[in-house]
Amino acid sequence: QNFTIQKIGSNKTHKVHTRIITATNRNLQKMVDAGSFRADLFYRLNTISFELPPLREHATDIPTLSRFFLKNYNKRFNRSVKYISPEVDRFLMSHSWPGNIRELENTIQKAVLFCSDSTIDSSCIDFINANNKANVQQPEREPELEIPKGNARALQKEHILFLLKKTGGIVRWAAKEAEVGEATFFRKLRKFGINRE
C-alpha cells in the first residue's frame, strides 16, 4: 500500500517499486458481501479493474485469432498448413469455448500438428474434438476450381472469389496460391469490383 516492506523479525523497512496484478473468475464483491473474501484485501487490490468478456461473447475475433495461432504454430513446428476452411471457421465461431483463448490456441496447435493437408478442414477438427463431432457438419465438398496458376491474364472473377474464400480473404495467401504478385492480385480485385470484406 505504501511501497515499503518489512521483513518478519526486522525493524527496518525497505522501499520497493512494484505493482501487483491479479485475475479471477469469481465475483469478489459478492464474496466480500458474503464474508468469504477479506474486504481489506479486496479494496487494496481493487485499484484499477478490467472485466474481460469470455471468447464466446466476441466470436467475431475468432477468425483473426485462429490465423494468428496458425501462423505461429506453422513457424514453430515447421509445418505448411496455410488455410482454415469456411466450415471450420463457422464451427469455431459457434463453439462455446469454456477454456477461452487458451482452448482456441490449443485447438489450432493440434490442427497444425495433425492435419495432413494444407487446409484445416472439418476432419481435422473432428479428430481434435472427438466429443464435439455432432457440432461439425460434413458438407459436400465444392468441386475444386482449377486455377490458371502463374497466368494473371487468365485469372477471372470466379478464380479470384474462389481463392479469397479459400484463404479467408488474405490477399497475400491468395496471390501466392495463384502464383502471381500481390500488386497484380489487387489490380484484379479492382478490375472485377471485388471488395475483400
Side-chain angles (χ1 to χ4, degrees), residues 17 27 51 69 91 98 136 160 168:
H17 183 73
N27 187 323
E51 185 172 341
F69 296 137
F91 165 69
V136 183
I160 301 294

Side-chain angles (χ1 to χ4, degrees), residues 148-167:
K149 295 187 176 183
N151 186 351
R153 289 186 177 182
L155 278 176
Q156 298 302 313
K157 186 173 183 177
E158 60 268 23
H159 300 132
I160 301 294
L161 291 171
F162 175 82
L163 289 167
L164 287 172
K165 182 178 179 182
K166 184 176 180 180
T167 61

Side-chain angles (χ1 to χ4, degrees), residues 30-121:
K30 286 184 178 179
M31 293 176 70
V32 168
D33 295 342
S36 57
F37 192 86
R38 284 179 48 178
D40 61 330
L41 176 59
F42 172 70
Y43 291 117
R44 279 180 169 83
L45 291 174
N46 193 31
T47 305
I48 299 173
S49 61
F50 299 95
E51 185 172 341
L52 299 177
L55 183 58
R56 63 182 172 274
E57 289 183 13
H58 52 105
T60 53
D61 291 341
I62 289 174
T64 303
L65 288 166
S66 300
R67 282 158 180 81
F68 172 77
F69 296 137
L70 177 67
K71 181 179 177 181
N72 281 358
Y73 286 109
N74 264 314
K75 186 175 181 180
R76 182 180 296 184
F77 301 130
N78 194 26
R79 301 278 289 164
S80 55
V81 182
K82 298 178 182 178
Y83 314 115
I84 297 174
S85 71
E87 68 263 26
V88 169
D89 267 335
R90 286 192 292 272
F91 165 69
L92 295 177
M93 291 179 71
S94 65
H95 186 60
S96 62
W97 300 111
N100 286 303
I101 290 178
R102 186 173 290 119
E103 183 186 356
L104 174 64
E105 180 177 3
N106 289 342
T107 298
I108 300 300
Q109 178 183 357
K110 290 173 186 175
V112 169
L113 285 170
F114 294 114
C115 281
S116 57
D117 200 358
S118 63
T119 301
I120 297 175
D121 60 15

